[in-house]
Amino acid sequence: MAAELSTPARQVLIALMVRAERVSNPDLRKAYRIEITKAVREELAAAGLLVFEKGPRNAIFHELTDRGWARARREFRCPPPERVSGAWLLHYATLRHLAGLLDRTDRQIADVFTEPDRGPGTGTGTGSIEDRILDAYRELAEKPGDLVGLVALRQRLTGVDRTDQDRALAGLDRRREIHLDPDPARHELTPDAHDAAILIGGEAKHLITIGRP
């Protein structure tokens, strides 16, 4: 039932679903004029719906867990929270129509929201960066399924902002087009290899693989 979460928590759940990536409060304020308070962060984390971690300049980055994505999908059929603005009423009406479309076409929520939304006026997605990631892997790997260090892969992405790299990697991993894994010999990694890691679900991932060996 919708009552299991507070109204602010439900709104944050929807925002993180639409955003479809690790996101900080400054990003959320810029894109949607909302932010994740400590109380809401703890509410969602306690329910296993959200993970968070500190990033550069002590900014806190948030991302939905698999359970969070499933709970966000339930919002499509939930009544809107009480005492919200007309914009949120329209939003939930739209979600109900979208739920019907997904059911009729046998589509999944990932088909709609795994391409990150950066908010108004922020570009058209990460397709070209994703292509460069896939190309870089093919250049570095001897065969499909080989493990390649992110430190080597990032060296092939010259001119691409680190944030955009992380966004593209996370999207590819979420869609299972690539697999990101931690290095089992983390104590042997160089500082550059540690720095090149990406945090997914609160865990540092140092390696990328595509396909089967």
Side-chain angles (χ1 to χ4, degrees):
M1 297 293 292
E4 67 189 17
L5 292 177
S6 66
T7 294
R10 292 175 65 187
Q11 292 172 328
V12 164
L13 201 68
I14 294 297
L16 291 177
M17 176 185 67
V18 173
R19 189 71 177 192
E21 62 182 344
R22 291 174 64 245
V23 64
S24 65
N25 270 330
D27 292 328
L28 289 174
R29 283 193 296 267
K30 181 178 179 181
Y32 312 124
R33 299 180 185 175
I34 68 170
E35 67 177 81
I36 304 175
T37 65
K38 180 180 179 182
V40 168
R41 182 185 306 121
E42 291 177 348
E43 178 183 358
L44 291 172
L49 307 178
L50 169 150
V51 291
F52 61 93
E53 61 207 358
K54 283 192 175 181
R57 301 183 180 87
N58 288 323
I60 299 177
F61 287 81
H62 313 80
E63 186 173 18
L64 292 180
T65 62
D66 288 343
R67 184 183 297 178
W69 277 90
R71 178 61 181 81
R73 178 65 175 87
R74 286 172 53 196
E75 284 293 309
F76 286 41
R77 293 295 189 186
C78 289
E82 296 181 0
R83 296 185 294 278
V84 293
S85 67
W88 276 96
L89 296 178
L90 288 171
H91 177 76
Y92 271 80
T94 301
L95 288 182
R96 288 194 296 275
H97 284 284
L98 182 57
L101 177 63
L102 292 175
D103 291 343
R104 291 193 302 274
T105 59
D106 196 28
R107 296 295 184 100
Q108 302 299 316
I109 189 173
D111 296 328
V112 179
F113 292 109
T114 52
E115 180 65 25
D117 171 48
R118 301 186 185 185
T122 54
T124 57
T126 60
S128 62
I129 301 174
E130 292 177 346
D131 289 341
R132 288 188 61 179
I133 289 171
L134 299 177
D135 289 342
Y137 175 84
R138 295 185 188 104
E139 293 171 4
L140 292 164
E142 293 185 4
K143 62 184 182 300
D146 279 352
L147 289 169
V148 170
L150 285 181
V151 62
L153 185 133
R154 291 190 191 276
Q155 290 170 359
R156 301 292 182 107
L157 302 178
T158 55
V160 180
D161 181 80
R162 172 65 181 259
T163 301
D164 290 334
Q165 291 182 32
D166 286 356
R167 181 180 293 116
L169 286 165
L172 287 166
D173 183 65
R174 188 178 297 114
R175 298 194 296 275
R176 303 298 187 264
E177 295 180 45
I178 66 173
H179 295 279
L180 297 170
D181 296 293
D183 193 312
R186 266 173 279 192
H187 62 285
E188 299 177 5
L189 292 175
T190 66
D192 285 345
H194 281 292
D195 185 62
I198 179 173
L199 290 170
I200 301 290
E203 183 178 30
K205 311 282 188 175
H206 313 90
L207 303 169
I208 176 175
T209 184
I210 301 175
R212 296 180 179 274

